[in-house]
Amino acid sequence: MDMKSLSIGPFNEGFIRVATTSDPASTETKFTGEIEILARHHTRLPSEIDGERMRLASHPAGKMLLEREAANKAAGKLVEVPIRMFFNKTANALTVKYQAFDGEGRPVCVGDGCNARRTSLIEGNQPVTVDAPCAGSEDCEFAQSGVVSCRRQVKMPVQIKGQANALSVFEVRTSSFNAYKTLRAQLELIESRFGGLRHVPIKLSLWQASNEASSFEPFDVFKLSLDGNSEVEVMRQAKKERDEEKECGLVSDQDAIYEKLQNGDADSKLSLAFDDFNEISDFYAPVAIPKAERRKGSQSVSSPLTKRHARSSAPHLAADLISSSLAQAGLAPAAEQSTPTQ
């Protein structure tokens, strides 16, 4: 593994996501109108299909907020999470990308909706990374070939008000395009209005939407709101905390710290660095990938497709990867799980 390709970020002690339930007899997902806070470790749950299944365990912060926050006590479930943004700039506070994994959980492609980087092995088990166009998981032939699983990934690191460890974050995760648009617009406004995101009291909650893609059934989407009675009150609280931090000598520029860790790599956001596949599947419900024939060593899903193209240029290699994948899959794109479009 190329250690320079590792994506370095704040320590993540848990995840925040929109809570859903699924019918074991179908792939239909139902929204429950609440938020889940999950730990990094898994727990075993009984399953009607295979006896048991693994699921991320609940994080104690969820119980704390359920007992502490008035809105949660009134609702009897977690509907509101008081947060502070870890980063000061929206560009660092909210990220989105497409990432594809092979049947064994290895990252093989990452894209931003325009450009992608795809990895494979050529003769002699030599890794090669090629540039390719990115149309997104819904429209990409490679993503729909059935040999990889690709989903949109939206991530937002935050800190929960009252959390014990000031050096850790909770990662808000979703694949919702509506959530990304909502959070991006609100964060840009907060950054501009309050001179940055840090120390601004914010609440993470849900709103409902529906559209033709969801058969007009409502689905839950993340949103932000100010944690105060007015903008003036919120600004005074943010200013007080910023002044206290500055007075005691704490450096508040988390953005500069982690931007430096990327070593100025302009392609860091399209890095094929490993991301735990179990965590990815817990959040983005990737399509089921048929078990491929056992590959040798660390051979990637695209390796057999590239052997005869070892001397091809990058653009031709990318094109050949896509067409060969489709041929291998019998030209039959896998059907995505029937989750409501968010």
Side-chain angles (χ1 to χ4, degrees), residues 248-266:
C248 67
L250 284 171
V251 177
S252 183
D253 197 355
Q254 268 85 329
D255 295 79
I257 295 171
Y258 288 98
E259 285 170 358
K260 184 178 179 181
L261 286 174
Q262 300 301 333
N263 296 317
D265 182 5

Side-chain angles (χ1 to χ4, degrees), residues 265-288:
D265 182 5
D267 293 321
S268 60
K269 291 185 179 180
L270 291 183
S271 168
L272 282 161
F274 181 79
D275 196 350
D276 189 280
F277 185 70
N278 288 328
E279 293 172 4
I280 295 295
S281 59
D282 279 324
F283 288 94
Y284 307 115
V287 296

Side-chain angles (χ1 to χ4, degrees), residues 40-197:
R40 291 286 298 272
H41 64 278
H42 286 73
T43 185
R44 297 181 184 275
L45 293 179
S47 171
E48 296 180 8
I49 299 175
D50 52 13
E52 65 178 20
R53 61 188 178 90
M54 301 302 295
R55 185 187 187 279
L56 286 173
S58 296
H59 193 284
K63 183 179 180 181
M64 173 192 74
L65 294 176
L66 194 58
E67 297 173 349
R68 189 186 74 186
E69 300 297 318
N72 298 329
K73 286 194 283 187
K77 56 186 179 181
L78 196 61
V79 296
E80 192 174 276
V81 180
I83 60 171
R84 299 291 189 274
M85 300 306 298
F86 183 79
F87 289 112
N88 202 46
K89 302 175 185 176
T90 301
N92 296 324
L94 184 69
T95 60
V96 60
K97 65 181 179 180
Y98 293 97
Q99 191 155 9
F101 296 83
D102 66 14
E104 296 181 9
R106 288 185 291 253
V108 293
C109 188
V110 60
D112 59 9
C114 294
N115 303 300
R117 304 183 80 183
R118 194 169 298 154
T119 188
S120 183
L121 297 179
I122 59 176
E123 295 291 351
N125 279 342
Q126 293 300 312
V128 59
T129 300
V130 298
D131 294 327
C134 176
S137 56
E138 298 87 353
D139 301 315
C140 173
E141 291 181 330
F142 183 65
Q144 294 295 319
S145 67
V147 296
V148 297
S149 173
C150 178
R151 291 299 297 269
R152 179 173 48 243
Q153 300 171 20
V154 179
K155 301 180 182 182
M156 183 173 75
V158 302
Q159 293 185 310
I160 296 175
K161 182 181 178 182
Q163 71 178 60
N165 188 355
L167 300 180
S168 66
V169 300
F170 288 82
E171 198 172 73
V172 178
R173 284 199 181 190
T174 179
S175 62
S176 168
F177 183 61
N178 287 291
Y180 175 73
K181 290 194 300 180
T182 301
L183 295 174
R184 177 66 184 269
Q186 292 185 307
L187 288 173
E188 292 282 6
L189 180 60
I190 293 170
E191 180 182 353
S192 176
R193 193 93 167 117
F194 294 88
L197 300 176

Side-chain angles (χ1 to χ4, degrees), residues 230-246:
S230 68
E231 286 185 308
V232 173
E233 179 185 310
V234 168
M235 185 68 228
R236 284 173 178 162
Q237 180 64 31
K239 187 176 185 302
K240 177 184 177 183
E241 293 183 17
R242 289 167 179 170
D243 289 344
E244 288 177 349
E245 190 175 64
K246 185 177 180 180

